Amino acid sequence: MSAGVSPTTQEDRPPWPYPRWIAHRGAGKLAPENTLAAFRLGAQHGFRMFECDVKLSADGVPFLMHDATLARTTRAPAALNAGGVAGAHPWSVLSQLDAGSWHSRAYAGEPLPTLDNIAQFCLRNGHCLNIEIKPTPGTEERTGQVVAAHAERLWKGAAIAPLLTSFQPDALRAAQNEAPALPRGLLLDTLWSGWLETALTLDCVAVVCNQDLWDGSSVTQARSAGLRLLAYTVNDEWAAQRLTALGIDGIITDRVDLFAPAAG
Ligand code: G3P
Ligand code: CA
């Protein structure tokens, strides 16, 4: 254990309100990622919690998209001059893009959703949400602040708040300053020096690791510090079994067709 981190027993951890199984980007690869259609498909497969990526339009509207650029997951009408960096465009332009036809013809015309759209879907259906704050590079603090402000407003009075996560500590710090009561999780693709101290300084409730990072040592460190443990992106039964044996609290998966959330 690193200096400055006090041991905590598992029983000291606050209750964890979230389901164990989390559908990545709505429904993994079975529907166009980060669209309402994907959320609907994930829900049809029994998922009650979803992960999504949220960034800001040029005029400050939080919307769902993974990549910084538009090319992979959107198509623009011929009359619309839209390309390049997604966050460089106002929502009036982004809202006209087709975020479905890149995936398959069945989803042609599916729009990019705003965070408000997804919040309404989740709240009406009693679903939980993991909002990954995915800033356009250079907008980390503003994205964290605006996303947290929207989330606090949208989920006001809700039984279960959304879990805000990010790979960017600056974004989480801004979210913490804006809406300290919203739960936060630090995303990790490596166990960089100071990861645990950073998670604790940000008053995170969880760390969300690339599944390969979880082993006996990292589990003990995070759990002893009172954190919940989540893993991404878990698409094989053997991998899920390994993580279950380690006591991982949440599993983010693309394979909404393989795993059965009702099983636990
Ligand atoms: O939040 C877990 C996972 O979604 C992080 O990786 O690249 O799929 O956003 P990525
Ligand atoms: Ca993500």
Side-chain angles (χ1 to χ4, degrees):
M1 174 163 308
S2 308
V5 178
S6 304
T8 305
T9 66
Q10 218 174 337
E11 291 68 34
D12 291 332
R13 298 187 300 178
W16 186 244
Y18 302 110
R20 173 173 173 71
W21 289 98
I22 304 164
H24 190 222
R25 306 184 193 176
K29 300 181 191 310
L30 295 185
E33 64 190 51
N34 287 313
T35 64
L36 196 50
F39 275 63
R40 289 200 175 103
L41 185 61
Q44 285 168 16
H45 282 275
F47 281 73
R48 296 293 173 259
M49 183 164 180
F50 301 87
E51 183 268 359
C52 64
D53 305 291
V54 176
K55 52 177 43 68
L56 300 183
S57 67
D59 51 345
V61 176
F63 70 100
L64 274 62
M65 180 176 279
H66 179 275
D67 296 4
T69 54
L70 294 170
R72 184 176 65 87
T73 59
T74 65
R75 302 289 178 264
L80 197 67
N81 182 22
V85 175
H89 298 279
W91 180 247
S92 60
V93 169
L94 297 172
S95 62
Q96 297 180 60
L97 298 177
D98 173 350
S101 62
W102 70 272
H103 179 276
S104 55
R105 291 177 67 175
Y107 292 106
E110 184 68 25
L112 290 171
T114 61
L115 177 59
D116 288 41
N117 298 149
I118 292 300
Q120 293 310 319
F121 174 81
C122 289
L123 289 165
R124 284 181 184 146
N125 291 287
H127 299 328
C128 297
L129 190 63
N130 168 204
I131 302 171
E132 182 187 340
I133 304 168
K134 199 76 144 180
T136 302
T139 69
E140 286 76 11
E141 291 186 16
R142 180 163 180 262
T143 305
Q145 182 254 315
V146 172
V147 170
H150 276 256
E152 186 172 53
R153 171 180 57 81
L154 291 163
W155 272 268
K156 186 173 182 171
I160 302 178
L163 175 64
L164 306 185
T165 58
S166 187
F167 288 106
Q168 309 295 333
D170 287 347
L172 287 177
R173 193 170 301 109
Q176 179 184 20
N177 290 336
E178 179 68 28
L182 290 182
R184 289 170 299 283
L186 180 62
L187 271 161
L188 297 169
D189 56 2
T190 62
L191 293 178
W192 39 265
S193 176
W195 65 272
L196 185 55
E197 289 79 2
T198 300
L200 294 176
T201 299
L202 292 166
D203 202 15
C204 289
V205 297
V207 280
V208 186
C209 283
N210 179 309
Q211 58 176 318
D212 296 337
L213 301 178
W214 287 126
D215 59 18
S217 171
S218 55
V219 163
T220 298
Q221 287 184 76
R223 188 185 286 157
S224 298
L227 294 162
R228 295 287 173 168
L229 289 50
L230 280 71
Y232 73 89
T233 304
V234 182
N235 295 331
D236 301 294
E237 290 195 60
W238 62 264
Q241 286 169 8
R242 186 186 82 85
L243 295 162
T244 299
L246 283 168
I248 299 302
D249 298 290
I251 296 180
I252 300 172
T253 183
D254 289 324
R255 292 298 307 277
V256 299
D257 54 333
L258 175 63
F259 295 113

